[in-house]
Coordinates of all heavy atoms in Angstrom, one line a residue:
C29 N -30.1 -76.1 -24.0 CA -28.8 -76.6 -23.5 C -29.1 -77.3 -22.1 O -28.0 -77.9 -21.5 CB -27.9 -75.4 -23.0 SG -27.0 -74.7 -24.5
L39 N -29.4 -66.3 -25.2 CA -30.6 -66.0 -24.6 C -31.2 -64.7 -25.4 O -32.3 -64.7 -25.6 CB -30.6 -65.6 -23.2 CG -30.2 -66.7 -22.2 CD1 -30.3 -66.3 -20.7 CD2 -31.2 -67.9 -22.4
A69 N -28.0 -59.0 -19.6 CA -29.4 -59.2 -19.2 C -30.2 -58.1 -20.0 O -30.9 -57.3 -19.2 CB -29.6 -59.3 -17.7
V100 N -28.6 -54.7 -20.1 CA -28.8 -54.7 -18.6 C -30.3 -54.5 -18.1 O -30.6 -54.5 -17.0 CB -27.7 -53.7 -17.9 CG1 -28.3 -52.3 -18.0 CG2 -27.6 -54.2 -16.5
V137 N -26.3 -50.5 -9.0 CA -27.0 -51.4 -8.2 C -27.7 -50.5 -7.1 O -28.9 -50.7 -6.6 CB -26.2 -52.6 -7.6 CG1 -26.8 -53.2 -6.4 CG2 -25.9 -53.5 -8.7
L155 N -29.3 -55.5 -1.3 CA -28.2 -54.9 -0.7 C -27.7 -55.5 0.5 O -26.4 -55.5 0.8 CB -28.3 -53.4 -0.5 CG -28.7 -52.5 -1.8 CD1 -28.8 -51.0 -1.4 CD2 -27.7 -52.8 -2.9
H252 N -18.9 -50.4 -32.7 CA -18.9 -51.8 -33.0 C -17.9 -52.1 -34.2 O -17.6 -51.3 -35.0 CB -20.4 -52.2 -33.6 CG -21.4 -52.1 -32.6 ND1 -21.5 -53.1 -31.6 CD2 -22.3 -51.2 -32.3 CE1 -22.5 -52.7 -30.8 NE2 -23.1 -51.6 -31.2
D284 N -24.6 -63.0 -46.1 CA -23.6 -63.4 -47.2 C -22.5 -62.4 -47.3 O -21.2 -62.8 -47.5 CB -24.2 -63.7 -48.5 CG -25.2 -64.9 -48.6 OD1 -25.0 -65.7 -47.6 OD2 -25.9 -65.1 -49.5
L287 N -20.2 -62.6 -44.3 CA -19.5 -63.8 -44.3 C -18.2 -63.5 -45.3 O -17.0 -64.0 -45.0 CB -20.2 -65.1 -44.7 CG -20.7 -66.0 -43.8 CD1 -21.4 -67.2 -44.4 CD2 -19.6 -66.5 -42.8
T288 N -18.4 -63.0 -46.4 CA -17.4 -62.7 -47.4 C -16.3 -61.9 -46.8 O -15.1 -62.1 -46.9 CB -18.0 -62.1 -48.6 OG1 -19.0 -62.9 -49.3 CG2 -17.0 -61.7 -49.7

Side-chain angles (χ1 to χ4, degrees):
C29 281
L39 295 187
V100 79
V137 167
L155 300 183
H252 295 284
D284 288 348
L287 264 181
T288 299

